[in-house]
Amino acid sequence: KLHELKKDLIGIDNLVTPGREFIRLGSLSKLSGKGLQQRMFFLFNDVLLYTSRGLTASNQFKVHGQLPLYGMTIEESEEEWGVPHCLTLRGQRQSIIVAASSRSEMEKWMEDIQMAIDLAEKSNGPTPELLASSPPDNKSPDEATAADQESEDDLSASRTSLERQAPHRGNTMVHVCWHRSTSVSMVDFSIAVENQLSGNLLRKFKNSNGWQKLWVVFTNFCLFFYKSHQDSHPLASLPLLGYSLTIPSESENIHKDYVFKLHFKSHVYYFRAESEYTFERWMEVIRSATSSASRAHILSHKESHLY
């Protein structure tokens, strides 16, 4: 995982070192003199990195700061700053204020950062500083440009041609978290490895009448759509982090059995399974990758499957 993350980051040389473990990555807003600025955070068992989305040809994230966890404290500070879902992280040399996109996101970060702080305290004192691989540029990191404000549609467009993606990392899990203002943890990645499924599904868009039969593969928090199981390249893909999984309501006039609905903001997709069994299986694996999945539910579910 560290080697994979290294490809998405610029400005750090020695990310992969013995004993370092990845815990969570995701989007948080950092409070500065200019207000709230979206940043991508990477939590390890010894350090918290924060980065901005660079406008480089390779679309990587540029490291702006690092907070060693040894000696750090964390506390809720919504009332103090008047910002919802707000946390203050006090390091030995630097303090930062961050805000999550929702209460549940804030709680996930608090739980994991506190766990990481406790791990750092139990280890043998402070860890060596990460090495910056390039001097920071003079442009203020808080000058977000218009080109940074990419939309959900741009994200899906950048994912359609998978052959073109080799040098350009604009559609990795890190970018999905950036666009959906969400986060994903090592626990989630472990569960994703166990939750993979493929099979035929019928798909319908919000404003279309007909259903399209597709071969669908679910892996790594993402649905890949193929014309048939013999095709080597998908027609399209849909990253599911941040989506919610529900059953269509009466008012949606979907008069079919075994239908589930995926939606994020104005994006709505309906999927129809061929039987009650396959419907239940799809619901189970997709729930492991969408925002409506609570950690407690996933973990209790995981334990019940050990036998």
Side-chain angles (χ1 to χ4, degrees), residues 76-146:
E76 283 189 58
S77 50
E78 198 167 306
E79 288 179 16
E80 186 182 347
W81 298 101
V83 176
H85 323 307
C86 177
L87 300 170
T88 300
L89 306 174
R90 289 195 174 87
Q92 291 188 325
R93 285 176 315 190
Q94 183 193 2
S95 297
I96 61 167
I97 298 126
V98 297
S101 58
S102 66
R103 178 92 204 163
S104 67
E105 274 294 300
M106 182 189 83
E107 286 169 356
K108 287 177 192 173
W109 277 107
M110 278 198 80
E111 186 183 329
D112 281 356
I113 292 171
Q114 190 58 59
M115 173 185 79
I117 291 170
D118 294 344
L119 288 172
E121 298 293 329
K122 284 178 190 154
S123 70
N124 305 322
T127 50
E129 194 82 353
L130 281 161
L131 300 175
S133 57
S134 57
D137 57 10
N138 298 324
K139 180 171 164 276
S140 160
D142 293 334
E143 288 170 22
T145 64

Side-chain angles (χ1 to χ4, degrees), residues 146-157:
D148 238 357
Q149 311 306 315
E150 196 179 356
S151 72
E152 174 72 10
D153 294 312
D154 296 333
L155 176 67
S156 46

Side-chain angles (χ1 to χ4, degrees), residues 69-275:
L69 297 179
Y70 186 79
M72 185 192 278
T73 60
I74 176 172
E75 63 192 54
E76 283 189 58
S77 50
E78 198 167 306
E79 288 179 16
E80 186 182 347
W81 298 101
V83 176
H85 323 307
C86 177
L87 300 170
T88 300
L89 306 174
R90 289 195 174 87
Q92 291 188 325
R93 285 176 315 190
Q94 183 193 2
S95 297
I96 61 167
I97 298 126
V98 297
S101 58
S102 66
R103 178 92 204 163
S104 67
E105 274 294 300
M106 182 189 83
E107 286 169 356
K108 287 177 192 173
W109 277 107
M110 278 198 80
E111 186 183 329
D112 281 356
I113 292 171
Q114 190 58 59
M115 173 185 79
I117 291 170
D118 294 344
L119 288 172
E121 298 293 329
K122 284 178 190 154
S123 70
N124 305 322
T127 50
E129 194 82 353
L130 281 161
L131 300 175
S133 57
S134 57
D137 57 10
N138 298 324
K139 180 171 164 276
S140 160
D142 293 334
E143 288 170 22
T145 64
D148 238 357
Q149 311 306 315
E150 196 179 356
S151 72
E152 174 72 10
D153 294 312
D154 296 333
L155 176 67
S156 46
S158 75
R159 297 189 65 91
T160 47
S161 174
L162 295 173
E163 297 97 312
R164 282 189 294 117
Q165 76 176 14
H168 172 92
R169 298 185 62 78
N171 57 3
T172 64
M173 185 58 59
V174 185
H175 286 84
V176 176
C177 288
W178 174 269
H179 289 297
R180 308 267 169 84
S181 296
T182 188
S183 68
V184 61
S185 71
M186 198 62 222
V187 173
D188 300 324
F189 280 112
S190 305
I191 291 164
V193 173
E194 295 173 20
N195 286 284
Q196 302 187 51
L197 188 62
S198 58
N200 285 313
L201 282 175
L202 293 150
R203 181 183 68 181
K204 183 174 114 59
F205 298 108
K206 184 170 58 175
N207 301 319
S208 66
N209 293 323
W211 294 82
Q212 180 186 14
K213 189 173 184 178
L214 295 163
W215 179 258
V216 183
V217 175
F218 173 72
T219 184
N220 198 26
F221 311 98
C222 192
L223 291 175
F224 294 90
F225 305 109
Y226 299 81
K227 272 187 177 171
S228 83
H229 69 279
Q230 292 159 320
D231 290 9
S232 56
H233 293 292
L235 302 166
S237 59
L238 180 66
L240 294 184
L241 286 174
Y243 268 75
S244 53
L245 172 69
T246 54
I247 306 296
S249 62
E250 287 287 317
S251 63
E252 290 171 87
N253 294 321
I254 306 282
H255 303 299
K256 301 283 184 188
D257 290 332
Y258 316 130
V259 175
F260 58 90
K261 171 183 169 183
L262 284 166
H263 63 107
F264 171 77
K265 295 185 178 173
S266 62
H267 302 265
V268 177
Y269 304 93
Y270 300 101
F271 293 96
R272 205 168 112 211
E274 295 172 323
S275 67

